[in-house]
Amino acid sequence: MNNYIKTLISRMAISNNVVLTAEHNAILDYAYRYYQKNKVGPLYYNFKKQLGISKTQINRLFPHGLYSVYNWVDIPLHSAHFPCKSIPTIEVNDYRQVYLDYNATTFIREEVKKVLLNYYSGNMGFGNPSSSTEPGRQAWELINSAHEQVAQCLQVEPTEIVFTGCGTEANNLAIKGIALNHYQEKGHIITANTEHSSVLRSVQYMETLGYEVTILNVDHDGFVDPDDVARHIRKNTILVSIMAANNEIGTIHPVPEIGKICKTAGVPFMVDAIQAFGRIPLQPKKLGISLMSVSSHKIYGPKGVGALFVDKECNLAPLLHGGRQEGDLRSGTENVGHIIAMATAARLMNAEMINESARLRELRNYFIDQLYRNIPDIIVNGSLQHRLPHNLSIGFPRIDSGSFLLGLNKIGVYVSSGSACSEGSRETSHVLHAIGVDRHKYGTIRFSFGLQTTKDDLDYVLKYIPVLYQELIKSGDKPLPDGQD
Amino acid sequence: MKAIYMDHHATTPLDKEVLESMMPYLTEHFGNPSSNTHEYGHIARKAVEEARKKIADLIGAQSADEIIFTSGATEADNLAVKGIAWNNRDKKGQIITIATEHKAILDTVSRLEREGYEIAYARIDEYGLIDLDHLASLLKPETRLISIQTANSEIGTIQPIAEIGQLAMQHKIPFHTDAVQALGKVDINVIRDHIDMLSISAHKMYGPKGIGALYVRKGIKLTSLIDGGGHERGMRSGTLNVPGIVGLGKAAEIAKRDMKQEVDRLLILRNRLADGIDKQIEHCKLNGHPIKRLANNLNYSFAYVEGESLILACRDVALSSGSACTSTSLQSSYVLRAINVPESLAHCSIRFGLGKSNTSEQIDYILELLVRNVKKLREMSPLYDLARDGIDIDKLNWSKHTH
């Protein structure tokens, strides 16, 4: 350790009121050496293995656990997420950047950019929609029009749309909102094991408060069986929450069937449509859906805004209390600029859905055909038939997805190995686990396509994937067993 | 004269520098900060971490990790109060606040009260200042949280935050302050003032709407309101609003940089307006503390004049009669009622929220407008006739030149 690091540690210790012990020093020393050697920070797992110090102990010793350890010895935080050993390099003579991670987030499209820039440069006023001043009234009208536009896309009433701070908040509001409304008598909630973490963790949280929870298993393609839903509905079931389509493997659930079952049983049906909105037709009123969440940054809108459709028959307890905006369901000054941008994004998405989805489906089918030709023993995770048009999750045999992904990164191809939302962790994907993918045999890469994806882009990717794959096979990089990365 | 904006407590226009800082993140840098496998994600993450540092700098936090981004101050307030309360769902306990807090606190604590928590309101005086002795007397072993705002959004009264912090620290009770109105105008240092949690809003300091933050001192654990991917140290899940965060960071940087100079300027303008009102308009009362108040705030009751009518009469000036979040209701301000302003005067109140765009010419223009319209409206008021005949209906203490 050099002097800079030593000073840093003592300074951090003083400012955090930590008295350095031998344990602290061992952890910091190990982290520092690990980083020097591997150019990545160690994970809790490494400490456990090397020093026999558990995550709980580290969290007790350092104010912010692993974050502090990194900070104190000057390891860049993001380097925690590169737990791979070797990054293969291949020669390319026609380098280009190809973004294939549209399931994680999308760029902001021109039409939406225009709205954002127009608003943020002050051309549309800056008032607080709740203020009775003239600028306030202008802002209020903008919000109103956004409600109308999103409502139009879903064929619902403008007052049935609630704008939130993101898709995660919309999911939380739907689930906790329904559940907390039954706080006295509690009740039973049904969901599935491939739901997004914002749904699963909300449901699990309700379980800690005394609610009963049934988490349905999906089949090998990731489908929830509607009969399974029907079988598990009880007298005290207060909510069924099943996503329209999965974010990792693109599987489209039988929403109409489940909707019918819920409607007959009189149970509110919540649908996380964050990945599906604008990709497949979804009209909540026709499908028996009581609550449906949408996120802006998955449909070429800005981050920091989402929406929840709440059927007017449905009663929710708000998550945030205060100025009673959004029909008292979501207090807080409205994010006017982002909201009107999201409305524009939703409108365009809806208008272009049929053509764009057909285009992407064709591109995806071309991509998978070509890929099969070059690497015949790949597997497709999830169903190819009932799948989002822009998603493809591929298992590559005998390689580590992390190395593969970074190799692709180096030649300008941006993909991901799973969901971007599991912050700071590379735990086993719960979705891949649920559909029984053998992670010892396959390294999974998610390719997701969007507005800017062209056939030329895919040809570039297809040209180099086999080369890179062979490199990895040669270097003997195997997928890491569960829990080791 | 062009329309004048004097409602900076409700919201502020976006600063040009802030807009510029946000621009790249509204356009080409669209990455998801949680995408840790490619450059798009890294750029976004870096921007987020830089913003976090700037906010930590503004409030004197030890570490940038102590800043949790939220969708706004309402969420920050909710997270602080419910987050602490819900750590003790079984044993419940007591939460102390005051009656003039923002609705985000008041509605939250009344929700908690229905869940079985005990809510205690510390006494405040006629200026809205907290009674520290009473606060101390309320403390007990089951006290889970003290939440007192730094400065009020309607009457601008600044609370003795450092003293409250000291008291809270001595009793080992977490102390939260809603500093939304105070940031950039009041010198706040979370270490010096012993603040454990502090709510921040971007759009009240020339940043964008839809983004805020909660400072959470290390060691304080909160039950999250929004669960999911475990972002923001698990306290607030959800993909981060990158352009908003960058904007908040820049706004914080500017607030810190320009505070002294801007506060001095605002004070001159504010006092010019107050002196003018006191000298030229009779029967008016200043609500809130004459000295311990935000540099940009004035709140006056003009007797015998309906506040809303005066606002309508001064049409080309954006003014309000109270908090934006409750102004759609016709009730008189709960803040004024809490400091015992008589109903007859509470209805006659106007809040002046000064800001960067206001000039001394504007102040003079508004003064002239006020004098003219108050006179005109009073001429139509039968109550005013009575008053002129010497019948003092409420036996009021009219404000003198107090500042």
Side-chain angles (χ1 to χ4, degrees), chain A residues 454-473:
Chain A
T454 62
K455 186 167 169 292
D456 286 350
D457 287 341
L458 298 188
D459 282 335
Y460 173 78
V461 180
L462 286 165
K463 181 173 161 190
Y464 291 109
I465 278 189
V467 186
L468 191 65
Y469 179 70
Q470 288 311 324
E471 277 299 309
L472 279 168
I473 293 289

Side-chain angles (χ1 to χ4, degrees), chain A residues 336-460:
Chain A
V336 184
H338 277 44
I339 286 175
I340 57 176
M342 175 177 180
T344 305
R347 189 163 45 76
L348 293 169
M349 204 66 195
N350 208 45
E352 295 167 5
M353 175 163 58
I354 294 173
N355 291 337
E356 177 65 5
S357 287
R359 186 184 78 90
L360 292 175
R361 198 171 291 118
E362 201 171 305
L363 278 180
R364 186 199 54 205
N365 292 345
Y366 168 74
F367 187 77
I368 182 74
D369 285 348
Q370 296 299 315
L371 211 54
Y372 263 132
R373 211 162 282 181
N374 289 308
I375 314 174
D377 45 358
I378 54 170
I379 55 163
V380 174
N381 301 315
S383 155
L384 259 183
Q385 200 188 352
H386 298 284
R387 183 187 200 100
L388 287 175
H390 65 310
N391 167 287
L392 193 57
S393 170
I394 301 282
F396 292 88
R398 299 181 301 280
I399 54 129
D400 168 40
S401 64
S403 309
F404 198 11
L405 185 137
L406 292 174
L408 285 170
N409 237 346
K410 275 196 171 170
I411 58 164
V413 178
Y414 305 116
V415 295
S416 78
S417 56
S419 149
C421 299
S422 297
E423 169 94 350
S425 71
R426 277 233 321 159
E427 289 156 21
T428 314
S429 148
H430 68 282
V431 176
L432 297 180
H433 184 76
I435 60 169
V437 174
D438 184 348
R439 293 231 318 155
H440 294 269
K441 286 196 184 134
Y442 295 96
T444 297
I445 298 284
R446 178 181 69 181
F447 301 90
S448 45
F449 314 99
L451 275 180
Q452 282 178 345
T453 313
T454 62
K455 186 167 169 292
D456 286 350
D457 287 341
L458 298 188
D459 282 335
Y460 173 78

Side-chain angles (χ1 to χ4, degrees), chain A residues 106-121 123-124 299-302 337-338 340-342 344-345 348 452, chain B residues 19 22-30:
Chain A
T106 56
F107 65 93
I108 302 179
R109 63 191 293 171
E110 287 307 319
E111 300 91 328
V112 176
K113 244 182 240 178
K114 233 177 252 169
V115 174
L116 281 168
L117 296 187
N118 202 10
Y119 174 80
Y120 281 107
S121 28
N123 297 337
M124 301 161 96
I299 57 170
Y300 310 101
H338 277 44
I340 57 176
M342 175 177 180
T344 305
L348 293 169
Q452 282 178 345
Chain B
L19 171 65
M22 290 168 67
M23 214 68 126
Y25 299 92
L26 286 170
T27 53
E28 72 260 39
H29 298 324
F30 63 87

Side-chain angles (χ1 to χ4, degrees), chain B residues 172-208:
Chain B
K172 297 195 169 59
I173 296 166
F175 170 40
H176 165 251
T177 187
D178 173 343
V180 167
Q181 297 289 344
L183 284 169
K185 297 174 197 88
V186 179
D187 174 31
I188 298 175
N189 183 304
V190 290
I191 309 273
R192 181 196 64 203
D193 301 341
H194 303 293
I195 296 165
D196 297 305
M197 289 182 284
L198 179 142
S199 302
I200 300 167
S201 168
H203 79 100
K204 311 272 185 184
M205 49 180 196
Y206 307 94

Side-chain angles (χ1 to χ4, degrees), chain A residues 8 45 56 102 110 165 181-182 210 227 233 295 307 333 466 468 484:
Chain A
L8 182 65
Y45 165 81
T56 335
Y102 285 82
E110 287 307 319
N181 233 11
H182 296 84
D227 292 338
I233 289 183
S295 166
T333 299
L468 191 65
Q484 288 208 1

